Amino acid sequence: MGFKLWGDTREIAEMNKKNLERQLENLLLERGSVNFDDLYEEFWHEHHLLSHYLQIFLKVKELEEEGKVIIDDKKNISLARVSFLDRSGLREVTTWDLEHKKEDIEEKKKIIERYQRINYLA
């Protein structure tokens, strides 16, 4: 389908997808679980076109394939969680928590690299 469903340019498409993903994550953190019908009601308003309905459906399916959400047989959507053992015992976090931590580390690495370049030139 390409990025035309999400926007006219690749940048706008990525921004729209990321925005929908953040809204869904916040909604799931707030409610714990949400049904597709509730999700459409929350995100799809009367002024939206059918393409918006399709965007929501496709993004949620993509998130399920990425392991970020779980969709049960009754079309309820919930956050996917990962359990791991650390010093304090067994911990359970959402896959989004891990992704946010990775993004934060990448951002800090970029800042350190920029600082090292600037400091080297000084």
Side-chain angles (χ1 to χ4, degrees):
M1 239 183 235
F3 63 87
K4 288 293 185 188
L5 177 67
W6 292 92
D8 293 332
T9 65
R10 189 166 305 283
E11 292 80 20
I12 291 173
E14 287 302 315
M15 186 179 68
N16 285 336
K17 288 168 72 175
K18 201 66 164 169
N19 184 41
L20 180 64
E21 187 174 332
R22 282 189 196 115
Q23 289 178 344
L24 178 60
E25 178 187 10
N26 290 334
L27 185 66
L28 290 173
L29 286 171
E30 181 182 304
R31 296 187 188 177
S33 177
V34 67
N35 190 289
F36 263 106
D37 293 336
D38 299 331
L39 188 63
Y40 294 138
E41 205 173 285
E42 184 78 27
F43 293 154
W44 189 39
H45 304 288
E46 293 154 2
H47 64 277
H48 287 147
L49 304 172
L50 185 59
S51 63
H52 292 97
Y53 175 87
L54 185 59
Q55 285 176 338
I56 294 168
F57 179 78
L58 291 175
K59 186 59 183 176
V60 172
K61 283 301 203 178
E62 181 182 317
L63 292 172
E64 180 184 35
E65 289 174 10
E66 292 175 2
K68 294 179 181 175
V69 298
I70 297 170
I71 304 172
D72 66 15
D73 56 344
K74 296 177 184 170
K75 301 292 185 199
N76 292 317
I77 306 161
S78 58
L79 291 169
R81 298 186 180 279
V82 178
S83 297
F84 63 93
L85 188 61
D86 70 359
R87 293 179 187 161
S88 61
L90 194 61
R91 281 187 50 200
E92 188 176 87
V93 296
T94 68
T95 51
W96 263 313
D97 288 339
L98 296 176
E99 185 172 298
H100 294 317
K101 186 169 232 141
K102 180 182 172 187
E103 289 171 355
D104 188 43
I105 290 169
E106 291 297 323
E107 185 63 31
K108 287 177 181 175
K109 280 174 57 177
K110 287 179 187 176
I111 291 169
I112 290 169
E113 288 170 2
R114 272 187 257 144
Y115 177 76
Q116 286 176 336
R117 252 185 270 133
I118 291 169
N119 196 27
Y120 174 75
L121 297 174

